[in-house]
Amino acid sequence: MDSTLLTVPMVRQQTGVRHEIRPRADARLTQHLAAKGHFALSDLPADVDPGLGPGAVARRLIQGGHVPEKDVLASYADLYGSQLIDLSTQPADATQSGFLDPQTAIALSAVPYRWVAGRLVVVTSRPDLVAEIERAIPGQTVLIALANSAQITSAIGHVYGQGLARAAECRAPKEASARVWTGYALGRRLAIPLAGLTVAAILSPVATYLALVAVAILVFAVNIGLKLASATAAHRARVHTIPPEPRAVPLFPEPVVTLLVPLFNEHRVAGEILQRIDRLDYPRTKLDVIFILEEGDRTTKAALGACALPHWARAIAVPHGQPQTKPRALNYALPFARGTVVGIYDAEDAPEPDQLRKIAARFAVAPPNVACLQGQLDYYNAAHNWISRCFTIEYATWFRLVLPGVERLGLVVPLGGTTLFIKRDALIRIGAWDAHNVTEDAELGIRLQRAGYRTELIATTTFEEANSALWPWIRQRTRWLKGYAITWATVMRRPGQLLRDLGSRRFWGLQAQFAGTILGFVTAPLLWSLALVPFGAHPLWPELPTMLFAALSAVFTFALIATLWINWLACGASHLRRHRNFVIVMVLYYPLASIAGLLALLDLAARPFYWAKTAHGRYGPALAAMMSPASDLNRTSNARLR
C-alpha cells in the first residue's frame, strides 16, 4: 500500500480508535451532522432516536433518506479519525481475501484492503460493526477505513466474485438440479423412443397412428380435465375475487423486503423499472432493491448508471460464467439481500403500488409453512395486436382461474417468474434456484412443496409487456416448454422418492401439469388432422370406423367450447372484459405452442441450458401512458378484482 494513503500518525490514531467506534448510546453523530447543517437538533427526523446508538442512528438516517451516506461516513471519519477510501481509484488487494470469507464480508459490509506498517486495513461502510470485524479476524491488528456501501459491494465482487459465481451455479442440491444433464444424454434419451417410433411407423403405419392418436386423446383428456377441475374449484371458492387487504396502518412490523431485479440487455427499460418500483407504497427503511447486471452488459450498465439510484437501491454485477441464466444471477445476488422476504421482478414489470403492503399483511397472519406468495400477472400492452390480446387472455386464465384452482385442489403450484415473494430462510434452506433450469420458477415451486412449504396465491397484480411478435413469442414459449420438460425429467429421476415427498394426489397432478403440458402440445397436430375427416381428405379415413370419428368430433367440440368458456370466465375483471370479444381467436393462438413444443424437444437435445432472452421495451406504451388515470394499471390499483 502506498505510504501516503495512511500516514503513520493516521495509523496511530486508528490504533487508538479501534475500540472507540462502538454501537453505544451517545449523541455525537447527530450533533456532528446537525453542526454540518443537515438538520436541527430540535427538529430530528421522527424515526431517529439518538439513544439508539450511532450504528442504528446512521442506518435510519441513511435508509430513511434523511442524510446521504457519504455525509454520514464523513462524520464518522471526523469523529473517530478514520480515513475515507475511494475504492474505485484505489482497489482492494484481492490476495488478502482469505482473512474474511465471502458471507462474513457481505454481512459486515467489509473487505480486507491492504497491509500498512504490519497492520491489516479493512474497509467497511459499517463502522458500527468494528467489534464484529475484529472478532472475524483473530490474531491480527485491524485498522478501519471507510467507504460507501456501493463501493464496498463492488469491492466484494472484485475480491470474491468468482467464488460467489461458482457457488451460484451449483447452489441447488445436485439431486434436484438439472446441471447433471448434457445435451448428449438428453438427446440419447429422445433418440431411442423416436427410433422405435420410426421403425413401428414403417412396419405398421395404421397401428402406429392409432396408438399415437390414443395417447394424444388420453393426454388431451387429462389436460382438459385438469383445466376444468382447476377452473371450477377456483370459481367456486372465488379465490380470484378476494378483495385487496385494507390499507390502514398495520398493527404488525413490516418485514424488510429485498426485491431482486435481473437485467440483461435491458437498456430500453432500465430507467423505467426504477420509476415503477419507486411508486410502491412501502417504508423506504424496509425496502432493499438490488438490480442484478451481467458483467459484460455495458449498455444496461450505462442506462442504469444514468439514473441516480436512491439510497434503497443498488446494482450488483454478476461475473462471467456459464450458464448465463436468470436463476444464476438470482443466486449470485441472494447473499447480498438484507430482507427476510425476497421478491422477484422482471425488467418490464409495473406492480400495483400497494403490492408490498399486501404481501407483508398476508405473511404476518399466514401459517408458518406458507413460505411463498405468488401474485397474478397481467399485461399493460394487451391491445397492441392479436397476439398480445391472446397472451392477455391466456395469462388471465392461468393466474385468475387455473393456478388458484390448483392451489385449492392441493396440487403443486408452479411459480411464475415474477411477483413471487419468498421467505429468505426457506429459500436458503432448499438451496435457492437451480442455475441450470430455464424455468427456474416452476421448478422452485416443486422443491418448496417437497420441503413441506406451501405457496399461496394473493390478489395483487403486476403488469408486464406481452411478447407481441410471432417469432419472439415462439422462442419464449420454446424456452418455457423446454424448462418444463427438463424439470419433469429431473424430478422423475427418483419417482419413488417424489411420490413419498408429494403424496399420490400431488404426484399424479404433477405428471399432468408437466408431462401432460409437453405431450399435449407435441401430440396436438395428430388431433388437428382429424379436422380433415369431414372433407374425406384424411389418409386413414378408409381404415377407421365412421363412429370413431363422430365420437371424437363430439369430444373435441365439447373441449373447445369448455376451453373458450374458461377463457371468457377468466376475463371477468373490469379491465379485462373488453378482451372477451377476442376469445374465439384463441383457436388460432394455441396451435402456435405446438410449434414451440417441437422446437423445445430439439433445443433440449442441442442446448438444454440456453436461455432465449426476451427483449423488452418494444411493444409497450410509454411510462407516462401507463401511469395515466385511464391505464389498466391505475384502474385496477384500488379496484375489486373479479
Side-chain angles (χ1 to χ4, degrees):
M1 181 176 180
D2 186 350
S3 61
T4 62
L5 183 60
L6 290 178
T7 63
V8 174
M10 178 61 72
V11 170
R12 290 172 179 165
Q13 289 175 353
Q14 286 274 17
T15 304
V17 166
R18 284 189 306 115
H19 301 285
E20 190 173 348
I21 303 179
R22 291 287 185 265
R24 58 186 175 82
D26 68 26
R28 294 182 66 193
L29 180 63
T30 53
Q31 290 171 353
H32 191 275
L33 289 168
K36 292 289 186 179
H38 292 289
F39 47 74
L41 284 176
S42 59
D43 190 26
L44 278 174
D47 58 343
V48 177
D49 179 2
L52 293 172
V57 168
R59 289 195 298 277
R60 291 199 177 185
L61 288 172
I62 295 169
Q63 293 169 9
H66 306 302
V67 181
E69 183 187 30
K70 63 181 181 62
D71 294 324
V72 172
L73 291 177
S75 288
Y76 266 122
D78 289 345
L79 286 170
Y80 300 113
S82 300
Q83 185 161 335
L84 289 169
I85 302 293
D86 184 355
L87 292 173
S88 63
T89 59
Q90 298 169 318
D93 181 0
T95 62
Q96 309 305 320
S97 63
F99 287 101
L100 285 178
D101 64 81
Q103 298 297 330
T104 303
I106 292 170
L108 300 177
S109 191
V111 62
Y113 186 59
R114 300 178 188 179
W115 286 89
V116 171
R119 297 172 174 84
L120 179 65
V121 178
V122 177
V123 185
T124 182
S125 63
R126 293 287 304 276
D128 55 301
L129 298 180
V130 167
E132 288 81 353
I133 293 172
E134 291 175 338
R135 283 195 293 269
I137 310 178
Q140 300 295 334
T141 301
V142 176
L143 307 179
I144 298 298
L146 304 177
N148 65 55
S149 55
Q151 288 195 352
I152 293 294
T153 298
S154 179
I156 289 174
H158 167 67
V159 174
Y160 301 103
Q162 290 301 321
L164 289 171
R166 300 295 82 77
E169 293 158 12
C170 302
R171 185 148 192 171
K174 184 176 180 180
E175 64 273 10
S177 173
R179 64 178 176 269
V180 300
W181 296 108
T182 63
Y184 172 76
L186 291 168
R188 186 180 59 188
R189 285 176 174 252
L190 289 173
I192 294 173
L194 288 176
L197 185 62
T198 302
V199 171
I202 293 172
L203 297 178
S204 181
V206 174
T208 302
Y209 175 80
L210 286 176
L212 290 175
V213 169
V215 171
I217 292 172
L218 175 62
V219 172
F220 177 80
V222 169
N223 286 338
I224 194 65
L226 179 62
K227 184 178 289 187
L228 281 171
S230 300
T232 302
H235 189 58
R236 285 180 176 174
R238 307 184 75 83
V239 173
H240 54 298
T241 63
I242 295 176
E245 313 289 347
R247 297 186 62 187
V249 177
L251 300 178
F252 52 86
E254 297 104 334
V256 175
V257 177
T258 292
L259 299 177
L260 301 181
V261 187
L263 302 174
F264 179 54
N265 291 339
E266 299 288 7
H267 55 279
R268 294 184 182 90
V269 296
E272 291 190 354
I273 183 61
L274 177 60
Q275 296 178 56
R276 295 169 189 173
I277 291 176
D278 193 33
R279 296 177 71 248
L280 290 170
D281 175 23
Y282 202 70
R284 291 305 185 252
T285 56
K286 302 293 183 73
L287 185 60
D288 174 37
V289 178
I290 301 178
F291 294 107
I292 313 170
L293 310 174
E294 295 292 335
E295 192 172 57
D297 185 6
R298 296 181 180 178
T299 56
T300 306
K301 282 184 180 179
L304 196 63
C307 308
L309 289 183
H311 59 276
W312 40 266
R314 49 201 164 125
I316 291 177
V318 183
H320 292 294
Q322 292 298 325
Q324 187 171 294
T325 59
K326 175 182 174 181
R328 175 179 180 265
L330 293 172
N331 280 343
Y332 183 87
L334 183 60
F336 294 89
R338 65 181 183 90
T340 56
V341 173
V342 176
I344 313 298
Y345 284 137
D346 283 341
E348 81 280 19
D349 284 357
E352 291 180 317
D354 61 349
Q355 188 165 99
L356 296 188
R357 289 201 179 273
K358 292 180 182 178
I359 297 300
R362 181 56 194 155
F363 268 133
V365 299
N369 67 334
V370 175
C372 180
L373 297 178
Q374 172 69 66
Q376 54 199 13
L377 302 181
D378 212 328
Y379 291 120
Y380 49 70
N381 65 327
H384 183 77
N385 62 14
W386 73 275
I387 295 178
S388 61
R389 287 186 186 275
C390 290
F391 215 158
T392 300
I393 295 170
E394 181 187 23
Y395 256 42
T397 303
W398 180 250
F399 283 99
R400 295 169 187 268
L401 280 182
V402 175
L403 276 188
V406 163
E407 180 197 359
R408 183 74 176 175
L409 293 172
L411 304 179
V412 173
V413 178
L415 302 177
T418 179
T419 316
L420 59 102
F421 301 87
I422 312 173
K423 292 179 179 177
R424 187 173 185 269
D425 57 351
L427 185 59
I428 291 173
R429 179 190 165 197
I430 66 171
W433 291 274
D434 180 6
H436 291 74
N437 194 306
V438 294
T439 51
E440 81 297 335
D441 41 12
E443 187 276 334
L444 185 66
I446 298 175
R447 272 193 291 132
L448 282 170
Q449 186 73 62
R450 296 184 74 171
Y453 294 112
R454 280 181 51 212
T455 295
E456 284 189 356
L457 277 294
I458 186 167
T460 182
T461 303
T462 292
F463 287 81
E464 295 192 309
E465 178 188 358
N467 205 336
S468 304
L470 186 59
W471 179 240
W473 186 96
I474 290 175
R475 290 179 72 245
Q476 183 186 60
R477 192 57 56 99
T478 297
R479 172 170 60 83
W480 292 355
L481 294 176
K482 177 176 67 174
Y484 260 48
I486 202 169
T487 295
W488 179 83
T490 299
V491 299
M492 286 297 288
R493 288 180 192 147
R494 299 172 63 191
Q497 184 62 51
L498 182 66
L499 177 61
R500 289 189 291 273
D501 290 345
L502 295 180
S504 58
R505 175 188 290 198
R506 295 190 183 96
F507 176 86
W508 292 111
L510 186 142
Q511 307 308 312
Q513 291 169 281
F514 286 81
T517 297
I518 294 293
L519 289 175
F521 287 126
V522 171
T523 60
L526 291 171
L527 303 181
W528 302 340
S529 70
L530 298 176
L532 300 173
V533 170
F535 306 99
H538 197 284
L540 297 180
W541 168 250
E543 308 289 340
L544 301 174
T546 303
M547 290 302 297
L548 175 62
F549 284 110
L552 290 177
S553 297
V555 170
F556 295 145
T557 301
F558 166 77
L560 176 61
I561 293 173
T563 300
L564 296 181
W565 174 77
I566 292 172
N567 294 152
W568 186 90
L569 189 66
C571 295
S574 57
H575 72 288
L576 292 172
R577 288 175 191 163
R578 68 182 186 272
H579 301 303
R580 283 176 164 174
N581 295 333
F582 291 84
V583 164
I584 191 64
V585 184
M586 299 298 288
V587 299
L588 301 177
Y589 175 81
Y590 284 127
L592 297 176
S594 289
I595 300 173
L598 294 171
L599 291 175
L601 295 181
L602 297 175
D603 224 23
L604 197 62
R607 44 183 189 177
F609 310 134
Y610 172 70
W611 188 284
K613 179 70 176 65
T614 302
H616 299 122
R618 293 182 175 180
Y619 315 109
L623 182 63
M626 288 173 49
M627 303 308 178
S628 69
S631 69
D632 285 343
L633 176 59
N634 280 302
R635 277 192 289 170
T636 59
S637 291
N638 299 309
R640 181 185 178 94
L641 296 181
R642 291 178 292 178

